[in-house]
Amino acid sequence: MNNTLQKISLSLTLMLGLLISTAGMAQTNEIKNLAGYVDFGDLTGSYGEPNVEINLGPSMLQFASAIVGDDDPEALAVMKGLKAIRVKIYNIDGNADAAIGQIDKSRKQLEADNWEQIVKVKEDGEQTHIFMKMIDGNIEGMTVLVAGDEDEAIFINIIGNIDPKDLGKITESFNVDVDID
Amino acid sequence: MNQRFQNMVKLHQNRVYTLAAYMLRDRAEAEDVTQDTYIKLWQRMNRSDEEVSRAWLLRVARNACIDRIRKRKPITDQVPEVGDHRDPAFRMEQDQLGKWLKDAIAGLKEPYRSLIVFRDVQQHSYQEIAEMLEMSLSQVKVYLFRARKQLRSKLPRAETV
Amino acid sequence: MKNKTEMNTQAFDDAIEELLSGDLNTNQAQELQQAAASDQAMATAIIDAWTIRRGLDELETEAVPPALEKRLLAIPSQHAPRKQWFAWLKPANWQAGPSWAIGSALAMSLILAIGISRQPNPAEIQQAREDIQVALAYLGKSLNQADQVTRDELSLQVQKILAGQQHRPAQNIEGDTRIEPESIDL
């Protein structure tokens, strides 16, 4: 009797796990299929697990946007235009080689995919690249790649209609302190 | 879970540390309070799905600071010295004023000290301060007025010749 | 307006704070200023209050020392997680009896809850909000690293491209020269 119960419970647990992981995979696939998705590769071999890894798809962004509320229609409109937010931050501990290698790969992919580079800074081994994806007069995404003197390599991919000047609206709504150091 | 904790560190560590540094005026103690606060956060995150927020974090840090201050030898109504201000033409330079203010804030009693740090240093909204200090909005405003008035009363003036 | 000696002390203090907070209307502010012009005590109090406000405005937040940040980030690895909510599923905790029925029912209800509705729970939504905060903070940091290129300048650049105007590719600058905001093709 106990064995039977244990088996039933184990099966249920496995089903539960399967459903949860399926939900996670669904979110990842949902993001990967969006126009404006950029592959940042995997630098785990060089730097270990990312310090920060964020993958927010359309549905989760919609739920999270509820905080903005109707009292800030401008910020709400900006959030509604977003389809995904992806961030990968690695602690590079002074060794930017692998990160810069990955940035070069991503850059080539972005250029091949007709992204427009609007900022490129190279100084003393430090690199900052900002790309925008625009199709038929619409903004489809923004990608930021940073590596260098700082201890972190930063890969950001925002998919959707995001005008840089609108960033301030949501930054305020989400009560963000831009003081990460 | 771990990722969420890292986010909470990245987003709010400076606020927690600033609060402790201003309240305690001792960097080593401020570091200890910041670390203890985040250990409590990690334990809480592991214990349950209870919501953790910036307000919760700052409330814990503030309570830890108050505990430490209580254990110190009582030094009440300490008025910081700001050099010789008997000169009628005396006007505090900004650096001098900043240092004097930090000492003066640390010399305030609770909740005035926390209110000044939360509102005037960290620019929190009245609503968030009310949540952190478990006060009503009107209490926050009234106490903040009193806190600033106390600072004003301690300010060395040219008339103190 | 009455002078300080005539005014209720509390009302006088409140008026000063409201003046400095910009909460007095123009007429009230002018009245207070006029009263202060003929009342030395009142004038001094306003100057002192203004001095305090000026000083407070200049006070800066303190940045966490790098060594402390490392210690904070290491907390999860140094403080083992407490007993997890699913610990009862581990074989060592398996026992015969009614608790099984409760456990199975719980698992079933969870499966049904997840299977029927894909709504994220409040903790997941809170996590998503924090993720957005982190993403925006890093975005801001990245823009700052690009030599304080402002969002408006980037936006102008983007609008120009969108308008189909000729876009000069971003310059590839090596060495110690950075792209200054003015040098961006606006």
Side-chain angles (χ1 to χ4, degrees):
Chain A
M1 180 63 178
N2 282 348
N3 272 344
T4 310
L5 285 170
Q6 285 183 359
K7 281 176 186 169
I8 291 170
S9 184
L10 190 60
S11 305
L12 290 169
T13 307
L14 288 173
M15 284 169 63
L16 174 66
L18 189 66
L19 274 166
I20 291 171
S21 62
T22 306
M25 281 167 58
Q27 163 130 323
T28 307
N29 286 332
E30 186 185 22
I31 297 172
K32 274 188 178 173
N33 292 330
L34 293 169
Y37 174 86
V38 179
D39 183 5
F40 291 141
D42 185 4
L43 294 175
T44 309
S46 304
Y47 302 123
E49 290 295 320
N51 244 3
V52 176
E53 184 163 18
I54 294 168
N55 288 296
L56 293 172
S59 47
M60 196 51 95
L61 279 177
Q62 189 189 331
F63 283 112
S65 303
I67 193 176
V68 175
D70 296 332
D71 54 339
D72 195 348
E74 284 188 335
L76 197 59
V78 176
M79 287 304 296
K80 279 186 176 171
L82 300 185
K83 295 173 184 166
I85 294 179
R86 300 172 52 237
V87 179
K88 259 190 186 182
I89 312 290
Y90 291 97
N91 192 341
I92 61 176
D93 222 7
N95 177 13
D97 292 349
I100 287 175
Q102 180 57 50
I103 283 178
D104 284 341
K105 280 186 201 168
S106 297
R107 220 159 36 83
K108 283 172 188 162
Q109 184 205 333
L110 290 163
E111 283 163 5
D113 291 343
N114 295 321
W115 285 70
E116 297 273 358
Q117 179 152 17
I118 56 171
V119 170
K120 180 191 285 184
V121 178
K122 282 189 176 181
E123 181 208 18
D124 298 335
E126 185 181 332
Q127 297 195 10
T128 301
H129 304 268
I130 300 179
F131 288 84
M132 301 293 298
K133 176 85 165 174
M134 287 165 268
I135 300 173
D136 297 333
N138 295 315
I139 299 172
E140 297 284 339
M142 178 181 192
T143 295
V144 178
L145 312 168
V146 182
D149 283 347
E150 298 280 330
D151 279 342
E152 291 171 322
I154 301 173
F155 299 83
I156 301 172
N157 179 205
I158 297 179
I159 305 172
N161 184 359
I162 179 68
D163 186 325
K165 78 174 184 333
D166 292 336
L167 286 171
K169 292 173 186 164
I170 48 176
T171 300
E172 200 170 308
S173 283
F174 277 88
N175 207 11
V176 174
D177 305 318
V178 189
D179 60 354
I180 284 185
D181 281 314
Chain B
M1 180 77 75
N2 197 346
Q3 179 64 64
R4 185 156 183 230
F5 178 82
Q6 309 266 339
N7 289 352
M8 293 293 282
V9 172
K10 288 282 182 185
L11 283 170
H12 308 309
Q13 59 180 350
N14 285 350
R15 281 185 188 269
V16 173
Y17 179 67
T18 297
L19 172 67
Y22 272 86
M23 285 187 77
L24 299 167
R25 295 292 283 143
D26 181 307
R27 290 190 181 278
E29 278 200 287
E31 289 194 21
D32 287 346
V33 164
T34 306
Q35 187 162 339
D36 291 348
T37 301
Y38 274 98
I39 289 171
K40 282 182 182 164
L41 171 73
W42 176 241
Q43 288 168 342
R44 183 182 169 98
M45 288 170 81
N46 275 310
R47 192 164 58 237
S48 68
D49 279 341
E50 285 174 89
E51 192 171 324
V52 284
S53 61
R54 179 167 79 180
W56 181 88
L57 208 53
L58 290 169
R59 195 160 56 230
V60 170
R62 174 177 176 258
N63 288 340
C65 290
I66 291 172
D67 283 346
R68 282 174 181 259
I69 291 165
R70 280 185 187 141
K71 286 174 189 165
R72 288 176 177 170
K73 286 181 183 174
I75 305 171
T76 53
D77 294 332
Q78 183 182 22
V79 179
E81 291 295 324
V82 192
D84 183 359
H85 50 263
R86 285 169 298 173
D87 176 1
F90 170 77
R91 289 286 182 277
M92 267 200 254
E93 294 297 328
Q94 191 60 50
D95 287 352
Q96 221 175 358
L97 178 62
K99 186 179 179 312
W100 178 86
L101 266 173
K102 286 179 180 177
D103 289 337
I105 291 168
L108 291 173
K109 289 179 179 166
E110 282 300 318
Y112 303 133
R113 173 172 32 204
S114 303
L115 276 163
I116 291 286
V117 178
F118 283 145
R119 180 64 191 171
D120 291 326
V121 180
Q122 303 195 324
Q123 314 284 320
H124 288 280
S125 67
Y126 288 121
Q127 184 62 49
E128 195 175 9
I129 295 170
E131 189 188 335
M132 287 187 284
L133 300 184
E134 295 173 326
M135 289 179 179
S136 67
L137 270 179
S138 57
Q139 277 177 314
V140 168
K141 288 178 184 173
V142 168
Y143 286 147
L144 192 59
F145 274 24
R146 289 182 193 166
R148 287 174 182 151
K149 190 185 166 192
Q150 285 200 12
L151 286 179
R152 202 191 332 150
S153 70
K154 292 180 177 183
L155 184 70
R157 290 193 305 270
E159 287 87 338
T160 58
V161 177
Chain C
M1 180 168 281
K2 297 171 182 175
N3 63 29
K4 184 182 177 183
T5 49
E6 292 166 334
M7 275 180 89
N8 171 295
T9 307
Q10 187 61 47
F12 170 72
D13 287 330
D14 289 354
I16 290 181
E17 288 298 332
E18 285 168 2
L19 173 73
L20 295 173
S21 300
D23 292 337
L24 290 187
N25 64 37
T26 312
N27 287 341
Q28 290 171 319
Q30 280 175 351
E31 277 183 38
L32 189 64
Q33 283 164 357
Q34 281 166 6
S38 57
D39 185 330
Q40 182 61 40
M42 189 180 263
T44 302
I46 292 174
I47 290 169
D48 286 352
W50 177 83
T51 303
I52 294 289
R53 283 294 186 96
R54 178 181 61 115
L56 289 171
D57 284 346
E58 295 293 325
L59 290 181
E60 292 181 347
T61 55
E62 305 272 343
V64 162
L68 175 59
E69 180 172 356
K70 284 188 177 169
R71 291 207 302 276
L72 298 179
L73 292 172
I75 285 172
S77 61
Q78 289 169 353
H79 293 78
R82 293 192 176 188
K83 200 173 176 182
Q84 305 279 357
W85 65 270
F86 49 79
W88 61 272
L89 290 170
K90 292 178 184 170
N93 294 326
W94 287 9
Q95 294 170 356
S99 61
W100 270 111
I102 296 167
S104 297
L106 177 62
M108 179 59 87
S109 63
L110 280 169
I111 288 169
L112 287 174
I114 293 171
I116 291 168
S117 166
R118 286 282 186 228
Q119 298 257 336
N121 64 41
E124 286 173 318
I125 294 173
Q126 177 65 22
Q127 168 76 68
R129 285 173 188 156
E130 286 166 15
D131 284 347
I132 291 171
Q133 288 179 317
V134 172
L136 291 172
Y138 270 106
L139 201 55
K141 180 183 177 182
S142 302
L143 293 181
N144 286 341
Q145 278 179 231
D147 223 5
Q148 285 77 48
V149 176
T150 68
R151 298 174 187 126
D152 285 345
E153 285 161 349
L154 290 180
S155 180
L156 279 172
Q157 175 94 331
V158 169
Q159 295 307 325
K160 185 176 173 182
I161 297 168
L162 286 174
Q165 295 179 15
Q166 189 182 0
H167 167 57
R168 190 183 67 194
Q171 294 165 289
N172 184 5
I173 297 182
E174 306 276 357
D176 60 358
T177 311
R178 282 175 172 267
I179 288 183
E180 297 297 332
E182 305 87 76
S183 75
I184 290 178
D185 188 11
L186 300 176

